[in-house]
Amino acid sequence: MKRRTLLATAALGLIALGGTAEAQMEKVKACFVYVGPIGDGGWTFQHHEGLKQVQAEFGDKVETAYQESVPEGADAERVLTQMALSGCNIIFTTSFGYMDATNAVAAKFPDVKFEHATGFKRDHPNVSTYNARFYEGRAVQGTIAGRMTKTNKIGYIASFPIPEVVMGINSYFIHAKKVNPNVELSVVWAYTWFDPAKEADAAKALIDQGVDVIASHTDSTAPLAEAAKTNGAVIGFGQASDMAEYKPSPRVSSIIDNWGPYYVKRVGALLDGTYEQADAWEGIAGGEVLIGEITDAIPAEVKAEAEALRDAIAAGTYHPYTGPLKKQDGSDWLAEGQTAPDGDLLGMNFYVEGITGDIPK
């Protein structure tokens, strides 16, 4: 099932939507629905860390509950209904495939707040959406990949052909190509968010092709485990969480999804009576995308270059999608100095020039 993406239509709502604030609450029951196990080491693990931050921030003022490994579809609607009936005041649904179920259940429980991660539908005033600009982190990883590859072959393990993933692939390649014009990118589609066996097979396939730097857009540590078997010949990155157990190599840096501050903000707004419907899409500047430590396995000059890029993105002086850029078919996309509108990114369904292969339909 498709999980983490936004469509171009969401570009109309990337600001707080406003509305009437809620009355203050003395105590909030905050509930979370997870698509994977909390021990996945990646996506769900990091959302659960956010739940823990809510507990630490508010203590006795908050009660939390969660259910892990909830399939996207009818099961999600059943779980959400049970949570609403159990007294949850706010429910965070942390996977794209929960979008329709979230809105369906929200219609039945107008006094419960629903927060949907990475979706775009807000069919009811009690539904909000939130996401993170992961493509900004891919720019930093691409810079490291382009500098560090010895074979000029870098790889990307992709989950599903949705805009979020395509955004990441393009950003990774653009920035690798900027520092290494000879770099070539191979993409393997795993068609899963969390399946360690499939993820390991994807990493093996890339390594067999001569790839020596691997980024992944799936949830387990399996790609890093495969890289670790190469005795230093292949490096990679933590995905969604730091995956620090693979430091200093093969994990040489990471993209960390920092959901905790958002969860604290939204639960806090219920407590203090300032809660309003919203649509959030933050990145490095907003603190929802963190770049994990770049280890000493990376030369100091490469580390400095990657950190400078991170800091420029955070400062707003650089946008990872800045022209001139062409699409894969050679047609013009962004002119010199032009930056991509959010709508283009949120509906991205094309590769940039230089990437071979097709995006699956």
Side-chain angles (χ1 to χ4, degrees):
M1 296 291 291
K2 296 178 181 179
R3 186 184 74 201
R4 301 190 299 267
T5 187
L6 289 165
L7 302 183
T9 51
L12 299 175
L14 292 175
I15 56 173
L17 300 179
T20 304
E22 300 293 319
Q24 292 182 353
M25 299 181 67
E26 293 184 0
K27 185 170 184 176
V28 168
K29 183 174 182 180
C31 301
F32 297 75
V33 183
Y34 301 142
V35 74
I38 60 174
D40 68 357
W43 177 262
T44 293
F45 170 83
Q46 204 63 26
H47 281 283
H48 196 59
E49 290 297 295
L51 176 152
K52 293 177 182 178
Q53 289 183 45
V54 170
Q55 293 173 324
E57 179 73 18
F58 298 114
D60 292 342
K61 292 182 179 181
V62 66
E63 175 187 353
T64 60
Y66 67 91
Q67 187 157 335
E68 57 189 322
S69 300
V70 177
E72 297 166 317
D75 282 349
E77 190 165 340
R78 174 183 55 79
V79 169
L80 288 172
T81 299
Q82 290 174 343
M83 283 187 167
L85 291 171
S86 75
C88 298
N89 304 114
I90 186 168
I91 302 174
F92 296 95
T93 61
T94 64
S95 187
F96 177 78
Y98 298 149
M99 182 165 60
D100 289 338
T102 298
N103 281 274
V105 178
K108 301 173 185 177
F109 297 92
D111 294 331
V112 178
K113 306 307 177 188
F114 292 81
E115 297 263 350
H116 181 224
T118 72
F120 61 89
K121 286 185 180 180
R122 296 178 303 278
D123 294 344
H124 309 283
N126 57 331
V127 178
S128 293
T129 51
Y130 62 103
N131 198 4
R133 296 179 184 266
F134 306 115
Y135 68 88
E136 294 179 347
R138 297 298 180 191
V140 178
Q141 291 183 346
T143 299
I144 295 171
R147 290 296 190 197
M148 294 303 296
T149 179
K150 296 179 174 63
T151 64
N152 288 329
K153 295 181 179 181
I154 64 173
Y156 199 105
I157 300 172
S159 45
F160 293 96
I162 58 177
E164 176 198 317
V165 178
V166 177
M167 251 188 280
I169 293 169
N170 282 332
S171 183
Y172 181 65
F173 176 74
I174 288 166
H175 292 85
K177 193 80 170 176
K178 278 188 175 183
V179 299
N180 181 354
N182 297 316
V183 78
E184 298 176 357
L185 175 67
S186 296
V187 179
V188 172
W189 292 93
Y191 292 99
T192 184
W193 293 113
F194 178 75
D195 187 324
K198 286 185 178 180
E199 295 172 64
D201 287 344
K204 290 174 187 175
L206 289 171
I207 293 169
D208 288 345
Q209 295 174 37
V211 165
D212 61 354
V213 187
I214 298 175
S216 61
H217 209 125
T218 51
D219 292 351
S220 85
T221 60
L224 287 174
E226 288 303 313
K229 297 176 183 178
T230 67
N231 296 317
V234 178
I235 61 172
F237 306 96
Q239 161 61 16
S241 70
D242 199 30
M243 300 187 177
E245 61 268 35
Y246 289 94
K247 290 182 183 180
S249 185
R251 174 256 178 246
V252 296
S253 186
S254 59
I255 293 175
I256 302 171
D257 305 345
N258 185 31
W259 301 112
Y262 181 79
Y263 291 151
V264 168
K265 176 182 178 181
R266 298 302 275 167
V267 172
L270 272 185
L271 286 167
D272 65 23
T274 61
Y275 186 95
E276 295 180 348
Q277 185 185 33
D279 181 9
W281 197 25
E282 298 292 341
I284 292 175
E288 285 192 6
V289 175
L290 303 178
I291 304 301
E293 177 196 5
I294 300 173
T295 71
D296 290 340
I298 302 300
E301 63 273 16
V302 176
K303 178 178 179 178
E305 184 177 20
E307 290 178 340
L309 178 63
R310 174 202 63 196
D311 295 345
I313 294 170
T317 58
Y318 177 75
H319 191 296
Y321 281 101
T322 300
L325 286 172
K326 294 179 181 289
K327 295 183 179 181
Q328 185 186 48
D329 61 9
S331 62
D332 291 332
W333 177 34
L334 297 175
E336 178 76 36
Q338 181 184 6
T339 58
D342 279 345
D344 283 12
L345 299 179
L346 295 170
M348 184 169 278
N349 61 357
F350 60 87
Y351 283 148
V352 295
E353 185 178 46
I355 298 179
T356 58
D358 298 322
I359 300 173
K361 302 299 183 184

